[in-house]
Amino acid sequence: MGAAGVLVGHPFDTVKVRLQVQSVDRPLYRGTYHCFQSIVRQESMTGLYKGIGSPMMGLTFINAIVFGVQGNAMRRLGHDTPLNQFLAGASAGALQSVICCPMELAKTRMQLQGLGERKSKQKLYKNSLDCLVRIYRKEGFRGINRGMVTTLVRETPGFGIYFLTYDVLTRSLGCEPDDPYMILKLLFAGGMSGIASWISTYPVDVIKSRLQADGVGGHNKYNGIADCVRQSLKREGWRVFTHGLTSTLLRAFPVNATTFATVTLFLMYMRDDEGAVKDCEPQPAHSSLTVSPQQAQPSSL
């Protein structure tokens, strides 16, 4: 499911990044639809999938970290409450940033390579791995972790809100296995969890993308996070923090909704009758098969 989510959602992510980092002086795209249209026309459909190798490579590691950390955190916290869901999710989000940051750096650099070219004449990076190797050789360990602070600031509360929203919605909706509307409820809860997570942290994601894209043109525009925020606000106003949001939300709901529904239903039918899921609420902390929303996360998620 994770790989399917990446395949479906990556074109929206490419559009998001292009809109987030485009120059205000010479904007290439007028909006979400125009960006999609321009990429397909100028670079073909493959242009929408630039940089997909990075999230594909990091998917297994991220899910392993998130599942392990979230499960252990819930066991230590002891009680399955909304607050503990937030805390467990936040801890998982913070630790997976170690993988997420370099992965998204490579993805962003690849997505911005060969803008407007159907076939790049001079490719700086052959693929996502080559991108990270070249950045490491040029800038060292610090280079491949560019944007780590903003990634932590985004992922920590983002995962917490993700878990909290899903927990609150599933508890409020309530659904039994024989509920004819159970699948619709799962789809709604999963989709809204993704949207809530992205809306709450989106301004930070804009700054992260700009910092990770900085230097692509041969020179650096920003001296750090504060300077990036200051320059962005001065040149583009507060609306700068909404660039690419439409594309992000269009991606967030269907990807998270289908992932939640599929995973939950799969676990319901695969578990033994004694341990079967009785409703669509998150399972107790001691369960080894907790249904978790992080599988659909845009950073990574």
Side-chain angles (χ1 to χ4, degrees), residues 6-7 10 49-57 107 110-111 128:
V6 173
L7 288 170
H10 194 78
Y49 286 93
K50 287 181 177 178
I52 195 172
S54 181
M56 282 293 191
M57 287 190 299
K107 175 185 69 67
M110 292 295 294
Q111 286 172 325
S128 297

Side-chain angles (χ1 to χ4, degrees), residues 7-69:
L7 288 170
V8 172
H10 194 78
F12 293 95
D13 187 77
T14 299
V15 171
K16 180 205 73 168
V17 171
R18 295 278 183 98
L19 291 172
Q20 285 179 332
V21 305
Q22 71 173 343
S23 172
V24 66
D25 299 321
R26 293 185 299 173
L28 295 174
Y29 315 111
R30 296 191 296 270
T32 301
Y33 178 73
H34 182 249
C35 185
F36 262 108
Q37 188 181 50
S38 298
I39 293 174
V40 173
R41 184 178 66 251
Q42 297 169 359
E43 305 171 41
S44 77
M45 285 295 294
T46 58
L48 294 170
Y49 286 93
K50 287 181 177 178
I52 195 172
S54 181
M56 282 293 191
M57 287 190 299
L59 183 66
T60 301
F61 299 104
I62 287 177
N63 280 341
I65 292 173
V66 173
F67 269 105
V69 172

Side-chain angles (χ1 to χ4, degrees), residues 41-299:
R41 184 178 66 251
Q42 297 169 359
E43 305 171 41
S44 77
M45 285 295 294
T46 58
L48 294 170
Y49 286 93
K50 287 181 177 178
I52 195 172
S54 181
M56 282 293 191
M57 287 190 299
L59 183 66
T60 301
F61 299 104
I62 287 177
N63 280 341
I65 292 173
V66 173
F67 269 105
V69 172
Q70 191 271 344
N72 285 318
M74 286 300 295
R75 279 190 287 272
R76 287 183 176 276
L77 291 169
H79 301 286
D80 185 9
T81 65
L83 176 59
N84 287 347
Q85 288 285 349
F86 176 87
L87 295 175
S91 62
L95 288 178
Q96 64 92 40
S97 295
V98 176
I99 302 295
C100 178
C101 181
M103 181 194 80
E104 292 203 348
L105 173 64
K107 175 185 69 67
T108 299
R109 294 293 179 91
M110 292 295 294
Q111 286 172 325
L112 298 175
Q113 183 170 249
L115 290 177
E117 298 177 1
R118 184 169 292 272
K119 189 175 182 180
S120 301
K121 299 176 182 178
Q122 288 185 332
K123 285 187 178 181
L124 183 59
Y125 311 117
K126 297 177 182 177
N127 49 53
S128 297
L129 182 60
D130 179 62
C131 177
L132 287 176
V133 170
R134 287 177 178 270
I135 293 174
Y136 178 77
R137 288 175 178 172
K138 184 178 180 180
E139 304 175 46
F141 183 76
R142 185 175 181 180
I144 62 173
N145 285 285
R146 180 190 293 268
M148 179 62 77
V149 174
T150 47
T151 301
L152 282 167
V153 173
R154 183 194 70 178
E155 298 291 82
T156 303
F159 269 89
I161 292 170
Y162 204 17
F163 276 94
L164 175 62
T165 304
Y166 185 70
D167 182 71
V168 170
L169 286 175
T170 52
R171 288 176 187 273
S172 300
L173 293 171
C175 52
E176 299 295 334
D178 58 350
D179 185 346
Y181 300 107
M182 183 187 66
I183 294 178
L184 290 178
K185 290 177 180 179
L186 291 173
L187 290 170
F188 178 76
M192 292 306 297
S193 297
I195 286 178
S197 176
W198 271 111
I199 289 178
S200 64
T201 60
Y202 195 75
V204 181
D205 185 68
V206 174
I207 299 303
K208 180 200 71 68
S209 293
R210 293 194 167 201
L211 289 173
Q212 291 186 329
D214 196 29
V216 171
H219 66 282
N220 294 94
K221 295 191 297 183
Y222 310 118
N223 294 322
I225 298 173
D227 184 52
C228 182
V229 173
R230 181 183 61 81
Q231 287 195 44
S232 298
L233 282 172
K234 182 178 180 180
R235 293 165 65 88
E236 303 169 61
W238 66 270
R239 290 184 181 277
V240 67
F241 297 120
T242 66
H243 291 178
L245 181 59
T246 300
S247 175
T248 300
L249 298 184
L250 286 173
R251 167 181 177 263
F253 191 93
V255 169
N256 289 289
T258 53
T259 299
F260 269 126
T262 302
V263 171
T264 303
L265 292 173
F266 176 79
L267 292 179
M268 287 178 64
Y269 289 109
M270 289 300 292
R271 286 171 62 90
D272 295 330
D273 291 339
E274 182 179 351
V277 179
K278 296 182 179 179
D279 53 36
C280 66
E281 294 182 2
Q283 298 182 50
H286 64 267
S287 172
S288 62
L289 289 173
T290 301
V291 178
S292 303
Q294 65 269 32
Q295 296 176 62
Q297 172 68 8
S299 82

